[in-house]
Amino acid sequence: MQPHIIILTIVGLAFIPEVIWIFQLFRSKAQEGNLPKVTLRINIVVFVLGLVLIGLAVVYDVNYLHYKSPIEYKDWKQITWSDFRAIKRPYHTLEGNQTFAYIVSDIDVTESDGQVAVRTYFHPSRSYTYSEESAGQDLLQHELYHLHITEYIAREIRKEYSTYKSDDRSENFVNAYLQREDILQAKYDQETAHGIPLGKQRSWQNRIDSCLSSLEEYSVSVVKPK
Amino acid sequence: MQPGKVSDTTILTTGILAWLLLAFASLKLSVIYAKNPTLAYLLAYNISSFIFLIYFIGYFKTRFTFKYLVLLVTAYNAGINVLHLIYNKLFLLASPPAEFKQIFTSCVLNIPLMVITWALLRWFIYRKI
């Protein structure tokens, strides 16, 4: 039996006595004219049930049951399939195809003491592979190049920050770069068909590698604006 | 109000909050477990609002006037939006693509549905609107 069905069954069973109790109380107290108190109790039970079910939904977005902190880009070589820890969604497919993985990466920009730290992170507890049989090295390469694209955009942001004067810095360009990243990630998936034709995949890998090399001087996370 | 008595305001406030949380949870879970998430979201949104309305009509009976309906429709639709924003801020790195479109479509369909449900129920149960 799949884990999510077990969890749902346990949650359901845990609330059966509560529901029976409410109905019994409702029936007896309503006749006594004490409806508001019973309704308030129902509200409290519904509130708790809502919180429990939201907790269940959260686990599908961030797997807190098997959590691992985000991994910074400098440690990308250590990423393996065992780091893809999120819980797969039961009917999630890629246009009907079940041999795929899902990687989540992001760029974190923090400013302090006149310096800007632009860091790229891979999120293990938000990333997953759909099928363990499909989790080969080629697919891992494809997913890691999503992370390299994020780092390429982070380097562009660092470059932009390094040319800005600290008094006229604007944060608008960060959002523009993040939008550019979304477009680039989508184009990468579209043109490589999620890494299936190896020729296309290799061509994109070379392209991303050369983009990263061209911005090698911005590979350090912390930037000091002029 | 007498000591120990529960007021209508308390019932409304706690009820709205509780049912909103449950409705929001059912929306999130419907997207996770359904084969067609868009349709499941739309159905869960409207079914939840229907239960939400029935619950309060059941409690307030003839006292459930148009004023209460406006309050509930606003609280439900605005509340779901606010919960989405809070959830995204707390647990997601960015809003899922097309989420706004999905919520907006559901809201547009939901408002007339709740008004019609309220009018029909009052008509069939109490013979007055």
Side-chain angles (χ1 to χ4, degrees):
Chain A
M1 195 185 267
Q2 290 187 339
H4 64 270
I5 297 174
I6 298 169
I7 295 167
L8 270 184
T9 312
I10 292 168
V11 171
L13 289 174
F15 277 93
I16 284 175
E18 291 289 314
V19 173
I20 294 169
W21 170 75
I22 284 171
F23 274 106
Q24 283 174 343
L25 206 65
F26 199 75
R27 194 187 289 169
S28 61
K29 296 282 181 182
Q31 286 164 354
E32 294 169 18
N34 206 358
L35 195 58
K37 273 191 177 173
V38 179
T39 312
L40 187 62
R41 284 181 189 173
I42 295 173
N43 289 350
I44 293 165
V45 173
V46 169
F47 183 83
V48 174
L49 180 63
L51 281 182
V52 171
L53 292 179
I54 288 175
L56 183 63
V58 167
V59 170
Y60 281 91
D61 284 320
V62 188
N63 187 1
Y64 288 111
L65 302 174
H66 192 38
Y67 188 77
K68 187 174 179 182
S69 307
I71 298 172
E72 209 180 326
Y73 181 78
K74 60 183 169 61
D75 300 321
W76 72 269
K77 284 182 181 163
Q78 294 166 18
I79 299 171
T80 62
W81 278 125
S82 63
D83 293 315
F84 285 65
R85 295 182 174 207
I87 300 175
K88 57 192 175 195
R89 297 184 174 215
Y91 299 105
H92 195 185
T93 61
L94 184 73
E95 293 151 11
N97 185 357
Q98 295 190 352
T99 54
F100 75 97
Y102 184 72
I103 187 168
V104 176
S105 57
D106 86 316
I107 297 169
D108 179 54
V109 180
T110 45
E111 294 180 43
S112 65
D113 303 329
Q115 290 186 326
V116 185
V118 184
R119 293 191 173 91
T120 303
Y121 287 104
F122 159 68
H123 294 266
S125 303
R126 298 170 192 267
S127 309
Y128 67 85
T129 170
Y130 192 90
S131 149
E132 279 164 22
E133 294 84 57
S134 66
Q137 276 306 306
D138 288 337
L139 188 58
L140 182 61
Q141 278 291 311
H142 173 81
E143 296 307 323
L144 285 177
Y145 269 84
H146 277 293
L147 184 65
H148 294 322
I149 290 175
T150 310
E151 171 62 12
Y152 163 62
I153 296 295
R155 287 183 188 184
E156 290 272 25
I157 294 171
R158 286 176 205 137
K159 184 183 171 186
E160 192 85 35
Y161 264 116
S162 67
T163 55
Y164 264 78
K165 286 180 184 167
S166 56
D167 52 345
D168 65 5
R169 206 177 326 131
S170 160
E171 288 178 357
N172 290 338
F173 71 84
V174 175
N175 286 333
Y177 274 111
L178 294 180
Q179 281 174 7
R180 200 178 140 203
E181 189 209 342
D182 287 343
I183 295 167
L184 204 55
Q185 299 279 19
K187 197 175 172 194
Y188 168 59
D189 265 340
Q190 193 185 6
E191 289 190 10
T192 60
H194 301 270
I196 295 165
L198 279 178
K200 283 274 182 193
Q201 177 65 34
R202 297 281 180 264
S203 137
W204 261 90
Q205 286 180 198
N206 293 337
R207 198 171 145 190
I208 297 164
D209 286 341
S210 91
C211 286
L212 284 172
S213 303
S214 68
L215 294 170
E216 188 61 42
E217 61 182 299
Y218 302 103
S219 58
V220 178
S221 304
V222 180
V223 183
K224 197 168 171 61
K226 282 181 182 172
Chain B
M1 197 177 75
Q2 290 170 357
K5 288 265 181 185
V6 181
S7 71
D8 282 354
T9 317
T10 312
I11 295 292
L12 257 181
T13 321
T14 54
I16 287 172
L17 198 61
W19 286 96
L20 265 178
L21 272 183
L22 192 62
F24 182 72
S26 70
L27 288 176
K28 295 300 292 184
L29 291 174
S30 66
V31 171
I32 290 167
Y33 287 109
K35 280 188 178 175
N36 185 340
T38 313
L39 183 66
Y41 184 92
L42 195 67
L43 284 175
Y45 195 101
N46 288 296
I47 291 169
S48 302
S49 76
F50 184 74
I51 296 167
F52 182 73
L53 194 62
I54 297 277
Y55 179 75
F56 285 103
I57 289 177
Y59 177 78
F60 287 105
K61 298 190 169 64
T62 48
R63 287 183 292 141
F64 195 94
T65 55
F66 189 72
K67 192 180 79 179
Y68 275 115
L69 177 73
V70 172
L71 175 74
L72 285 192
V73 170
T74 314
Y76 184 79
N77 288 291
I80 293 289
N81 272 285
V82 170
L83 284 174
H84 269 293
L85 288 175
I86 295 171
Y87 185 92
N88 292 354
K89 199 85 184 159
L90 287 177
F91 301 111
L92 301 181
L93 299 171
S95 295
E99 188 184 68
F100 176 75
K101 196 178 157 190
Q102 196 174 31
I103 301 171
F104 184 75
T105 315
S106 303
C107 279
V108 167
L109 286 169
N110 182 255
I111 294 167
L113 179 101
M114 280 177 90
V115 175
I116 292 166
T117 307
W118 170 80
L120 286 175
L121 280 171
R122 276 180 72 91
W123 176 252
F124 281 114
I125 299 172
Y126 309 118
R127 294 287 170 198
K128 69 173 186 182
I129 292 176

